[in-house]
Amino acid sequence: MRTFLLTMLLALAAPLTAQAQSADLVLCDRLAADPSDPDKPADVKGVAEIASADIVTAIKFCRQAANASRRAMFELGRAYAANRQTAESIAAWRKAADKGSSAAMVELGVTYATGSGVAKDEAQARKLFEKAAQAGNPRGVSNLAALGAAGGAAPADPAQARALLGKAAETNAEAQYQLGLMLSEGSGGDKDDVAARALFEKAAAQNHPGALERMGAFAEGGRGGAKDKDAAKAYYERAAALGDEDAKKALERIRCPYAIKDKQGKLVTTLCF
């Protein structure tokens, strides 16, 4: 009888434990999820930076959820980093990366590339970015290209970056934007404004600031499709509202299209409407 009661108590306790772990992860996601993390569920918005008032709470709930979730382990690293606990953040990212978190691989790569909290090691940074890129992480791809462009251990391979972005762009707005840039510039392959515009449009539909700005430029200039000044302005306004500086400049240029200069060619004033 005693064994039966114990079994029943354990059976009842299991769902409660699962619920508690799930609640911890939900709260961890709410406070510390990275918008660019491919592991992040679609219904979780994420935060670019963890609010200072939320750091202690994020550490608490992410630490409780971390053993059962690599995403929570990565987010715990973000919370530690926001709290300037460098050693703890690196340790958490190592654990998350070992479990396959490409976002954690990118963050570790950044620490090695910059020498923040560890000895600077571009070769190790490259390995981590390559692994993240192979997993389809767009930040892994862009950081790998940037490391090569800055004179890393090996030259950047735009064609490889383009191929990796092609895979990630199936589902990721940042990858769609980055691939669109490569196509619009002819980097790593043929230039294709039509395909670039289609990618920018996909990312813009997900409110990607850079893609919205590019859609404004393409619509304004008629690149890869119809020329539409009204649509261009609308795209610029959406991008500017999200903080894109290039879009803000474009709106100012549209508002003040005429520049008056002196004999030396210096700007005197602009005519605005």
Side-chain angles (χ1 to χ4, degrees), residues 14-211:
L16 292 174
T17 301
Q19 289 176 8
Q21 289 175 345
S22 177
D24 291 336
L25 181 56
V26 168
L27 288 167
C28 177
D29 279 339
R30 185 180 302 168
L31 301 175
D34 186 335
S36 67
D37 183 4
D39 280 348
K40 179 184 66 64
D43 61 343
V44 174
K45 184 177 180 181
V47 292
E49 293 184 7
I50 300 174
S52 57
D54 293 335
I55 291 174
V56 173
T57 307
I59 290 174
K60 174 184 175 182
F61 288 107
C62 291
R63 188 162 50 200
Q64 290 172 183
N67 288 334
S69 168
R70 74 182 187 189
R71 183 173 79 252
M73 185 65 76
F74 163 66
E75 291 166 6
L76 176 61
R78 292 193 82 211
Y80 279 137
N83 206 37
R84 299 183 180 180
Q85 293 178 252
T86 304
E88 289 83 354
S89 67
I90 291 173
W93 285 333
R94 286 191 195 282
K95 290 178 181 178
D98 288 343
K99 294 180 179 180
S101 169
S102 63
M105 295 171 197
V106 171
E107 294 301 337
L108 281 176
V110 171
T111 65
Y112 279 108
T114 59
S116 303
V118 295
K120 190 172 181 178
D121 187 338
E122 287 190 358
Q124 183 62 24
R126 181 175 297 279
K127 288 179 182 178
L128 287 160
F129 291 150
E130 285 177 345
K131 193 172 181 180
Q134 291 290 349
N137 189 301
R139 283 188 64 210
V141 176
S142 57
N143 284 356
L144 182 61
L147 194 63
D157 186 343
Q160 181 190 37
R162 191 157 158 170
L164 290 169
L165 279 171
K167 179 181 178 182
E170 294 173 6
T171 57
N172 186 277
E174 177 64 21
Q176 290 159 5
Y177 169 65
Q178 293 290 345
L179 182 56
L181 290 177
M182 296 193 79
L183 289 167
S184 68
E185 296 164 1
S187 176
D190 294 335
K191 184 176 180 179
D192 189 337
D193 280 352
V194 174
R197 184 165 177 160
L199 285 162
F200 291 143
E201 190 169 18
K202 285 183 180 180
Q206 300 168 70
N207 286 324
H208 187 290

Side-chain angles (χ1 to χ4, degrees), residues 261-267:
K261 299 180 181 180
D262 62 17
K263 291 181 180 179
Q264 286 73 40
K266 294 181 180 179
L267 180 67

